[in-house]
Amino acid sequence: MFHTTQEQAEVCPECLRQEFKAAPRMNDAACHELAEEYRQSDRRQAARALRMHEGYESGSLFSWSGKLRFAGGCLLFGLCCLAFMMTGSTPDEVGNSMLDDIGQRLVSVLFCVVSAALVASSTRRRPFIVYPMAVVMLACSWYMPDIWRTHQPASPAAQPTEEESKEEPAADSAAETSKSARALTNADLDVFFQQKTAVPQNAHYAIYIDRQDSRTRGLVRDALTRLLGAEFTRAYTRNDGALYVVSNVPGRVKNISRTLSRLGHITYAAPAEGIYELRFDADKANLVSRYPVEVLSSPMHSSYVAANLSELTCLDPMRVRTAAKNLRDSNVKVLRREIHDALVQVLQDPWAGDFDTYSALAEAMTVYAYESKDAAALEACRRFFRAGLVMKNDIPESVTDYLVREVPDEMVEPIVEFWCENPIVWGNTLSRLGIRAQGALLEKLKNTDSLRQIGTIIRYLRDYGDARAIPVVTPFTEHQDSIIRHSAQETINALQTRQ
């Protein structure tokens, strides 16, 4: 027989009441969260259905937002085309003066990429319509400046006179037109005629060049002054270009048409009157660098030599000077003949007015001159040295050393003059002449009263002279200055020892 024992348990009625109340509240929160998720899902489904309905409703290719994107893309592309069309048909000072060719292409690419993106995203129902339009916009982006750039046809130039034809047989023969092709009238040339009459003994030229911005005008004005050897050049804005009045050119310039052809294409020429008209060509003038700075300054780059040779043909003296210094400092071992020939060609220009550039070119020439007697390099360095003497400018030591090495006899007189003025600076250069300088120094010794010069010449003869100097030095053994007497006696003893 089993007996059960009932456990004694005490249950709090209030605790049970709270527990039963909390359970419905928890169920209500879960139901509310689940209902909220359902509502969000319903809204997403409704929005998706609305978009699909708008995109595929009967007779409609675009939604309202797609229409706005398509219209915006086409409008942006049209404005870009209109801007370049206006730039291509107006003077450079209105449009092209702010951006170079690469800058214009980058702006065109930027606008066309945005336009193509808007058009391509305007609708998904007809991709075979919007995608080809976007591709066409992208294809036009890089070449749009060329499409809308106007090119004026060349007009014929005036028939040169018989006298001018003899002076300019090769260049002026290509500029044969009638005078009716002139772009300027006599009223436009009033300033030129006034200056021409004021100084009739000098040559004067009126050169009209079209389509130039302010920076280009400054470079062309300086280039004309330098290339033609003029006293000064003034630029006057005329029509869509500039009239350059080149004044006080000493004598008539031979082959002036060949010189002007470096700026563009001659469209009119009247050599007897000194009037020329050109259609400017930035590529021929090489005013826009074709290479980045990294290539120009890196001798290890494969295009280093080609880049600097291209810079040498530029009308901007600063770029020419920089290229010459780059080639001089790098002293590359490849394409040396090409560099030599390019330097010889550039040094044919009159550079005396820009002596810094002249110095850089001459120094580069000494680096790339042939080891044997190089007639072209030697003549170029001679011209530079003579120009430096006339203008009393500092001549680079490398050029002087090159000339002393190649033509020592020619360099005796100028080196002796430099040495007498500054024996400390020019002592090493004079010592390279050795016995060759003795004759010039003996003449100086006979005709000078300067104790400093007498002392330095006697000491030089002691080291490099021969017996022919003894009769000239002997009277100085009785000079009133004891130092000179002592130096003269030492020199005579040394000369007698070397006999």
Side-chain angles (χ1 to χ4, degrees):
M1 184 174 182
F2 297 95
H3 299 277
T4 60
T5 305
Q6 183 177 2
E7 293 183 1
Q8 300 294 326
E10 295 182 359
V11 179
C12 176
E14 186 63 27
C15 294
L16 291 174
R17 191 180 301 111
Q18 292 179 0
E19 289 294 332
F20 284 119
K21 287 182 179 180
R25 285 200 300 269
M26 294 179 62
N27 293 335
D28 292 344
C31 291
H32 178 74
E33 183 178 354
L34 183 60
E36 183 64 26
E37 290 182 0
Y38 280 140
R39 282 194 296 270
Q40 291 180 1
S41 178
D42 290 341
R43 285 197 296 268
R44 286 195 294 269
Q45 291 292 340
R48 188 177 298 112
L50 178 61
R51 288 196 299 270
M52 293 178 66
H53 175 72
E54 290 179 352
Y56 289 93
E57 64 180 345
S58 176
S60 175
L61 295 178
F62 298 92
S63 64
W64 280 106
S65 59
K67 291 178 181 178
L68 291 176
R69 288 195 296 271
F70 183 82
C74 292
L75 178 62
L76 187 60
F77 183 76
L79 290 176
C80 187
C81 292
L82 180 62
F84 280 105
M85 182 173 62
M86 295 177 61
T87 300
S89 60
T90 54
D92 285 348
E93 296 177 11
V94 176
N96 292 343
S97 60
M98 302 303 297
L99 291 173
D100 57 10
D101 185 65
I102 297 299
Q104 292 181 33
R105 295 182 190 276
L106 292 178
V107 170
S108 174
V109 168
L110 175 63
F111 281 99
C112 290
V113 166
V114 175
S115 302
L118 291 174
V119 171
S121 63
S122 61
T123 181
R124 297 181 180 178
R125 188 174 178 182
R126 293 292 186 270
F128 53 84
I129 296 177
V130 294
Y131 288 175
M133 291 182 63
V135 172
V136 170
M137 290 178 178
L138 291 176
C140 292
S141 61
W142 185 257
Y143 299 101
M144 186 177 294
D146 295 330
I147 295 173
W148 296 110
R149 186 173 295 156
T150 57
H151 298 280
Q152 300 176 358
S155 13
Q159 178 73 25
T161 62
E162 182 178 354
E163 179 182 356
E164 292 293 329
S165 298
K166 293 179 181 178
E167 291 184 354
E168 309 180 32
D172 280 347
S173 60
E176 300 180 355
T177 66
S178 63
K179 292 190 177 183
S180 61
R182 265 172 49 176
L184 299 180
T185 63
N186 287 336
D188 296 324
L189 297 170
D190 277 344
V191 175
F192 167 66
F193 290 131
Q194 291 173 7
Q195 293 191 8
K196 185 176 181 180
T197 306
V199 192
Q201 64 272 21
N202 293 337
H204 304 265
Y205 295 95
I207 302 169
Y208 172 74
I209 307 178
D210 66 353
R211 297 178 60 80
Q212 291 184 317
D213 55 38
S214 57
R215 175 182 176 274
T216 303
R217 282 203 304 271
L219 292 174
V220 171
R221 182 179 62 245
D222 295 341
L224 289 174
T225 303
R226 175 174 57 83
L227 293 174
L228 301 182
E231 182 179 350
F232 59 89
T233 300
R234 290 190 175 94
Y236 303 90
T237 302
R238 288 293 185 275
N239 298 340
D240 64 342
L243 172 64
Y244 298 89
V245 178
V246 186
S247 303
N248 296 339
V249 178
R252 297 198 65 84
V253 180
K254 293 185 177 180
N255 294 327
I256 184 174
S257 293
R258 185 180 295 116
T259 301
L260 296 180
S261 63
R262 296 168 60 177
L263 302 174
H265 306 282
I266 297 176
T267 58
Y268 174 84
E273 300 176 8
I275 300 174
Y276 295 84
E277 293 181 4
L278 283 78
R279 186 176 67 253
F280 182 69
D281 189 335
D283 291 334
K284 294 187 70 173
N286 195 14
L287 291 181
V288 179
S289 180
R290 301 182 178 91
Y291 299 89
V293 178
E294 295 77 14
V295 177
L296 293 168
S297 58
S298 176
M300 301 303 296
H301 197 281
S302 59
S303 300
Y304 172 78
V305 175
N308 283 282
L309 290 182
S310 174
E311 292 291 287
L312 288 178
T313 63
C314 177
L315 288 181
D316 188 348
M318 182 177 296
R319 287 168 54 190
V320 175
R321 181 165 61 251
T322 302
K325 290 180 179 179
N326 290 340
L327 292 172
R328 177 200 65 190
D329 296 339
S330 60
N331 191 13
V332 296
K333 304 304 179 185
V334 297
L335 300 176
R336 294 182 65 88
R337 180 176 293 274
E338 287 77 2
I339 299 174
H340 169 275
D341 295 343
L343 289 170
V344 170
Q345 183 64 33
V346 175
L347 282 167
Q348 300 301 317
D349 290 345
W351 288 101
D354 185 358
F355 203 77
D356 290 339
T357 304
Y358 205 1
S359 298
L361 290 168
E363 287 188 275
M365 188 76 263
T366 62
V367 173
Y368 293 95
Y370 302 145
E371 298 200 357
S372 58
K373 296 288 184 179
D374 185 347
L378 192 57
E379 182 58 28
C381 291
R382 279 172 173 160
R383 289 198 307 269
F384 168 74
F385 190 86
R386 288 194 293 266
L389 293 180
V390 172
M391 303 176 67
K392 300 186 182 302
N393 286 323
D394 293 335
I395 300 173
E397 184 177 356
S398 59
V399 178
T400 305
D401 292 344
Y402 172 75
L403 292 173
V404 168
R405 183 176 70 249
E406 295 296 324
V407 284
D409 293 334
E410 294 182 14
M411 300 300 295
V412 169
E413 184 176 349
I415 297 302
V416 167
E417 293 292 335
F418 291 145
W419 180 78
C420 289
E421 294 177 3
N422 196 336
I424 296 177
V425 173
W426 290 91
N428 292 333
T429 304
L430 185 68
S431 64
R432 294 190 184 96
L433 294 174
I435 190 63
R436 292 186 179 86
Q438 176 175 269
L441 290 174
L442 291 178
E443 290 297 322
K444 282 282 185 184
L445 189 60
K446 295 176 184 177
N447 301 317
T448 183
D449 295 328
S450 172
L451 297 180
R452 181 180 64 84
Q453 280 193 10
I454 293 173
T456 53
I457 292 174
I458 288 176
R459 284 193 293 274
Y460 182 87
L461 294 174
R462 179 189 60 193
D463 297 331
Y464 300 100
D466 58 15
R468 291 173 296 179
I470 294 178
V472 181
V473 176
T474 300
F476 290 94
T477 57
E478 300 177 359
H479 197 274
Q480 58 183 0
D481 187 89
S482 59
I483 297 178
I484 292 180
R485 289 199 304 271
H486 180 72
S487 297
Q489 189 59 54
E490 283 187 344
T491 299
I492 291 175
N493 293 337
L495 295 177
Q496 290 175 343
T497 303
R498 282 201 293 271
Q499 284 184 349

